Amino acid sequence: MIEDIKQDAEQRMRKTVASTRDSMSRIRTGRASTALLDHLSVDYYGSQVPINQVATISVADARTLTVQPWEKQMLEVVEKAILESDLGLNPITAGEVMRIPLPAMTEERRIELSRVVRQEGENGKVAIRNIRRDAIHTVRELLKEKEITQDEEKGMESTLQALTDRYVNEISGVVEEKQNEVMEV
């Protein structure tokens, strides 16, 4: 029973780290990345679908993305979705291919993105601490029900704290790595 609580908490913490990494990949750095457009959706015959399900997205060079819709009529829809996004990108359509040049980032923008990275990291750390709190609450309920001993409860609390420390440090590493990437000129 206690082992199940530990495994559940560890699994949820792993998912939180993965989610934090995913949200960090959407934050724009100086170089082009297809992950930049992953969260965009387009209207495809009446339903919203991710942009990568209606077009091929690739990196042409360090500062340019190319988007090639599979159907010619989707070119306008994809262009509109990119323009309306909060990314601040201006696609250039040439025939059936759309080029998206990524403007060089200013120092001010880099500092702003660095703050966003820190905030995303802090959100991940808070989520991990909440998972620890929930698991400890469950363990204390078991103690109250007399299903475990006080020694087992104390041991589990220290195990959960060690897990929390490990995953919080992992998120700190992800944040530091992303901040270095953002601040790189």
Side-chain angles (χ1 to χ4, degrees), residues 58-123:
S58 59
V59 178
D61 59 51
R63 295 209 182 268
T64 310
L65 288 173
T66 58
V67 179
Q68 185 169 11
W70 297 326
E71 298 175 25
K72 188 171 173 94
Q73 68 265 25
M74 290 306 296
L75 199 59
E76 288 178 28
V77 178
V78 170
E79 184 176 16
K80 183 179 175 189
I82 292 169
L83 285 170
E84 290 177 351
S85 72
D86 59 348
L87 297 172
L89 301 175
N90 294 315
I92 301 166
T93 305
E96 295 181 13
V97 177
M98 186 182 312
R99 297 197 183 293
I100 306 170
L102 299 177
M105 290 199 309
T106 63
E107 188 66 24
E108 190 177 292
R109 181 70 175 142
R110 289 178 193 282
I111 291 169
E112 184 182 320
L113 286 175
S114 183
R115 282 191 206 113
V116 171
V117 167
R118 276 196 307 274
Q119 184 60 48
E120 286 292 328
E122 193 55 42
N123 291 345

Side-chain angles (χ1 to χ4, degrees), residues 142-155:
L142 290 176
L143 178 65
K144 204 184 279 185
E145 306 277 327
K146 306 262 189 240
E147 293 183 30
I148 61 171
T149 65
Q150 278 190 328
D151 289 343
E152 289 174 318
E153 181 223 7
K154 293 296 179 199

